[in-house]
Amino acid sequence: MKGDKDEHFSEVMQVKTACEEWGFFQVLNHGVDLNVLENMEKLAKDFFMLPLHEKQKHPMAPGTVQGYGQAFVFSENQKLDWCNMFALGVEPSCIRNQNSGHRVRLTSVSLGLEGEVFEEMFGEAVQAARMNYYPPCSRPDLVLGLSPHSDGSALTVLQQGKDSTVGLQILKVQTWLPVQPIQNEFVINIGDTLEVLTNGKYKSVEHRAVTHKEKDRLSIVTFYAPSYKIELGPMPELVDEKNPCRYRRYNHGEYNKHYVTNELQGKRTLDFAKIQSNTSN
Ligand SMILES: O=C(O)CCC(=O)C(=O)O
Ligand SMILES: [Fe+2]
């Protein structure tokens, strides 16, 4: 029993360090059935290999990121990313949801809060999945797979396709660092919602995807976020004289709308919530 407790404590501490210093971590031995992951990957790959007219039967609806197409494109002058996307809502009962639930509980414990605090606050949590397919690109030096951005979610779970090349990069001290894919394991990152709730103690990290000259790449991304109905802002426990309130309260549905109707531009979307007198981070 003591062993279990020690293990749990060490896991919580690792999550705390990763969240404070990186905003990203990889989860090994996550317990999700590998068949489920393989099936998802196969379904996604099969979909992207369909002829264009078949894929276009499920077009991305304007002003949303749901369906097939390229999200976050708003002008003809915009430089396009080298990426095909297909996004959809996921049933709350989905097995991966349970996994995100576990991670979000660990995250709240690592902040010294009750494990269920975020889940209770989130109401009927939104779980959305996006599949990104990056075909080989003859000029990876000129074209990005996915422009720099932070995620609007609370937590994001990323699964990378089998034999994936390095594609994901995260920004750390103004340097883009590659995230080495580990087969069958998840990459988790903090999204804007957790940055706001923790009053900036945990930060959403800017990341992007690069392309490869010869190899294609698939990523399956699950965004775990609060219900669009809830109002949120920094948790009072994490605001004090030393850490004055950095973000205003807002409705998460409005934040989501703001997020999906703007270009991906680093962490610019979070300006929506920042209290302007305090924009140092
Ligand atoms: O493909 C990747 O590795 C990154 C995907 C991503 O950041 C996203 O879909 O938000
Ligand atoms: Fe992302």
Side-chain angles (χ1 to χ4, degrees), residues 131-145:
M131 289 136 210
N132 302 305
Y133 177 68
Y134 310 95
C137 173
S138 60
R139 294 298 304 267
D141 52 328
L142 295 181
V143 190
L144 281 173

Side-chain angles (χ1 to χ4, degrees), residues 27-41:
V27 178
L28 312 184
N29 306 320
H30 46 67
V32 176
D33 187 343
L34 290 187
N35 289 325
V36 173
L37 302 188
E38 273 169 21
N39 284 342
M40 293 219 352
E41 192 181 320

Side-chain angles (χ1 to χ4, degrees), residues 23-237:
F24 264 81
F25 54 97
Q26 303 223 43
V27 178
L28 312 184
N29 306 320
H30 46 67
V32 176
D33 187 343
L34 290 187
N35 289 325
V36 173
L37 302 188
E38 273 169 21
N39 284 342
M40 293 219 352
E41 192 181 320
K42 185 173 180 325
L43 280 171
K45 216 43 194 282
D46 287 351
F47 175 80
F48 285 115
M49 293 306 124
L50 288 172
L52 187 60
H53 69 271
E54 288 294 332
K55 290 184 278 201
Q56 283 176 334
K57 286 182 182 164
H58 314 277
M60 198 169 275
T64 77
V65 290
Q66 301 261 324
Y68 172 74
Q70 261 206 334
F72 311 107
V73 178
F74 302 98
S75 101
E76 288 189 2
N77 303 326
Q78 203 176 323
K79 187 167 170 184
L80 297 181
D81 289 336
W82 196 259
C83 177
N84 285 297
M85 292 176 165
F86 183 67
L88 69 167
V90 180
E91 280 299 305
S93 59
C94 173
I95 191 154
R96 285 162 60 88
N97 189 17
Q98 293 165 17
N99 201 261
S100 325
H102 177 59
R103 298 302 146 206
V104 87
R105 278 193 292 280
L106 270 181
T107 314
S108 58
V109 172
S110 75
L111 286 158
L113 306 168
E114 290 295 324
E116 274 76 35
V117 74
F118 292 132
E119 282 165 293
E120 280 170 10
M121 188 192 295
F122 288 1
E124 188 137 327
V126 172
Q127 182 88 358
R130 177 158 73 220
M131 289 136 210
N132 302 305
Y133 177 68
Y134 310 95
C137 173
S138 60
R139 294 298 304 267
D141 52 328
L142 295 181
V143 190
L144 281 173
L146 192 59
S147 294
H149 64 282
S150 59
D151 295 337
S153 53
L155 273 190
T156 301
V157 182
L158 175 104
Q159 174 192 344
Q160 310 195 58
K162 216 182 265 147
D163 305 322
S164 221
T165 52
V166 180
L168 176 66
Q169 297 185 335
I170 61 177
L171 190 63
K172 175 105 169 142
V173 209
Q174 290 169 29
T175 307
W176 287 107
L177 301 178
V179 177
Q180 211 64 43
I182 305 179
Q183 190 150 345
N184 298 325
E185 307 300 6
F186 294 144
V187 176
I188 314 268
N189 66 276
I190 303 283
D192 296 342
T193 305
L194 271 188
E195 173 164 335
V196 170
L197 287 170
T198 64
N199 196 29
K201 191 168 162 65
Y202 289 176
K203 291 198 175 58
S204 61
V205 174
E206 205 170 320
H207 55 285
R208 67 180 189 180
V210 293
T211 49
H212 192 281
K213 216 168 177 160
E214 279 120 33
K215 291 192 174 166
D216 61 353
R217 178 168 171 267
L218 175 76
S219 66
I220 301 175
V221 191
T222 313
F223 302 100
Y224 180 74
S227 150
Y228 293 146
K229 291 188 196 138
I230 76 150
E231 304 282 316
L232 60 89
M235 300 185 63
E237 296 91 320

Side-chain angles (χ1 to χ4, degrees), residues 192-193 196 230-233 248-252 255 272-273:
D192 296 342
T193 305
V196 170
I230 76 150
E231 304 282 316
L232 60 89
R248 66 181 177 87
R249 280 188 78 74
Y250 58 83
N251 164 268
H252 181 66
Y255 185 65
F272 176 92

Side-chain angles (χ1 to χ4, degrees), residues 237-256:
E237 296 91 320
L238 300 171
V239 176
D240 56 34
E241 256 174 48
K242 276 201 202 138
N243 303 291
C245 189
R246 293 193 165 96
Y247 311 88
R248 66 181 177 87
R249 280 188 78 74
Y250 58 83
N251 164 268
H252 181 66
E254 275 174 32
Y255 185 65
N256 185 62

